[in-house]
Amino acid sequence: MSKTGKEIDITQSSNDTSVESRSIKLVTKSNETPEGDGFVVHRCFPSQSIRNLDPFLLLDEMGPLDLLPYETKGFPEHPHRGFVTVTYILEGRFEHKDSQRNSGKLGPGDVQWMTAGSGLVHSEMPEKEFAKNGGRLHGFQLWINLRKIDKWIKPDYQDVPSAKIPLIRTPDGKVSVKVIAGNYHDTKAVINTLTPILYLHFTLQPDSEVVQPVPENFNAFAYVISGNGLFGKDKTAVQEKNLIVFKNDGKYISIGSDNKNPLDVLLVAGMPFNEPVVQYGPFVMNTREEIDKTLEDYRNGKIGKIEF
Ligand code: FE
């Protein structure tokens, strides 16, 4: 992260909040899964142990994958309906195109918040110029469900460059946080969400701690990108490439780093909908009938195709 972020005082005593600090429900390692045209992702969920993290449907760590020059692995033309995909790039460059004639490029630190709503077809591939030279691709894709009343809205996306995403640093320089969605203290994300979502990327220097308020009814998880973290009320040690799901038993989530290495971690939380979820691959609706209708629409080209 750059050193240009705004500084605010976030000094908090964890002792004040330990009573209401959430404990851990489970810790699970992400699984290597081939996706798209052979791009290996580390799937954090869904998994055998995590079926329901309402409103979240999926989290993939894309790569890190080292591409040779002219090797283009990615996610060619495919549809989505009924939910939101959030792409956050750490390394490398992607480009996307969709059936609404939108296109764009994403580089390190950039976020694409795409509301598929009533449906679209898109492709997500390494950027052509980047692919010529090859290099490392690394990022995240999160799927967030839409409420029944939002599933048929017009598709929309927010492509937000890294420079526009608020970056906060503590005065002692030990903690920095990128505010992708929701807010961190009084700093609000620039991305708009249809339902309340918190999406923060923390970088902690060794021997640091953050205590993040999260509404008690929000389902919440963290993912360790690198380093070793100490999570929750009991300060459970968790290594990289592990997902931590928190219980709904407190108003705060505490995250600490060990005394040796920096810790890079995502913290995500959201208001659950408690609505029926019927998923068929890239389509997420509320009933079997809506899925049947969606498959019919897709077969008939009604979800669209990429024409440029
Ligand atoms: Fe997609």
Side-chain angles (χ1 to χ4, degrees):
M1 281 190 195
S2 83
K3 293 187 173 173
T4 54
K6 180 174 136 189
E7 287 191 355
I8 59 163
D9 186 4
I10 56 149
T11 312
Q12 287 194 24
S13 162
S14 58
N15 295 333
D16 298 337
T17 51
S18 60
V19 180
E20 295 180 297
S21 181
R22 291 196 190 193
S23 46
I24 291 177
K25 187 191 268 178
L26 65 92
V27 175
T28 164
K29 201 164 175 64
S30 55
N31 282 310
E32 284 194 8
T33 311
E35 263 298 328
D37 59 6
F39 196 116
V40 174
V41 301
H42 290 92
R43 178 144 301 158
C44 310
F45 67 85
S47 64
Q48 277 196 329
S49 52
I50 305 171
R51 290 265 163 241
N52 182 11
L53 244 179
D54 187 10
F56 305 105
L57 301 162
L58 170 146
L59 178 68
D60 280 348
E61 180 176 14
M62 303 186 290
L65 182 70
D66 292 312
L67 292 182
L68 296 168
Y70 294 100
E71 191 185 14
T72 56
K73 278 186 179 150
F75 311 93
E77 209 166 316
H78 59 277
H80 293 291
R81 175 181 273 177
F83 61 102
V84 173
T85 66
V86 181
T87 308
Y88 176 36
I89 303 299
L90 300 179
E91 290 176 275
R93 292 187 68 79
F94 275 89
E95 60 187 13
H96 64 91
K97 272 183 170 186
D98 70 35
S99 51
Q100 309 279 312
R101 305 191 79 83
N102 296 312
S103 64
K105 293 177 179 178
L106 295 170
D110 298 346
V111 176
Q112 186 198 55
W113 196 281
M114 186 188 81
T115 304
S118 61
L120 50 62
V121 170
H122 75 165
S123 69
E124 302 152 282
M125 298 298 290
E127 190 210 14
K128 282 190 193 70
E129 282 303 308
F130 170 82
K132 272 187 197 169
N133 298 316
R136 177 163 282 200
L137 283 174
H138 190 198
F140 286 90
Q141 191 163 89
L142 174 69
W143 290 10
I144 309 171
N145 205 2
L146 287 169
R147 289 171 302 181
K148 189 177 174 60
I149 54 163
D150 294 327
K151 283 195 185 284
W152 296 94
I153 62 172
K154 200 170 158 284
D156 167 68
Y157 73 96
Q158 301 170 72
D159 257 352
V160 185
S162 181
K164 289 203 170 155
I165 295 174
L167 171 66
I168 307 300
R169 288 165 52 85
T170 54
D172 63 6
K174 290 188 95 176
V175 176
S176 59
V177 52
K178 288 188 79 163
V179 187
I180 296 168
N183 61 286
Y184 177 77
H185 293 257
D186 59 353
T187 302
K188 228 178 139 326
V190 294
I191 290 169
N192 295 309
T193 66
L194 287 165
T195 58
I197 301 286
L198 180 72
Y199 189 158
L200 304 173
H201 177 179
F202 286 105
T203 303
L204 276 66
Q205 294 311 307
D207 221 2
S208 315
E209 189 184 23
V210 289
V211 179
Q212 173 66 35
V214 177
E216 200 158 357
N217 68 320
F218 280 26
N219 288 326
F221 62 87
Y223 184 72
V224 184
I225 304 170
S226 62
N228 301 302
L230 301 167
F231 292 87
K233 194 176 188 170
D234 300 325
K235 302 193 191 304
T236 306
V238 180
Q239 295 177 336
E240 65 176 19
K241 300 238 176 311
N242 278 288
L243 182 88
I244 302 103
V245 180
F246 295 95
K247 287 184 184 168
N248 297 73
D249 61 353
K251 293 187 174 72
Y252 299 90
I253 286 177
S254 63
I255 299 175
S257 50
D258 66 17
N259 56 13
K260 293 191 190 75
N261 301 298
L263 173 72
D264 231 347
V265 62
L266 301 180
L267 176 64
V268 179
M271 184 192 78
F273 309 154
N274 298 309
E275 291 181 346
V277 177
V278 182
Q279 179 168 2
Y280 185 88
F283 307 126
V284 183
M285 306 304 288
N286 301 106
T287 66
R288 181 69 228 179
E289 291 69 33
E290 286 167 340
I291 289 291
D292 290 344
K293 162 96 169 69
T294 297
L295 290 169
E296 195 188 313
D297 286 352
Y298 183 50
R299 273 194 300 272
N300 294 335
K302 287 186 182 165
I303 295 187
K305 55 183 170 210
I306 300 175
E307 291 180 303
F308 66 108

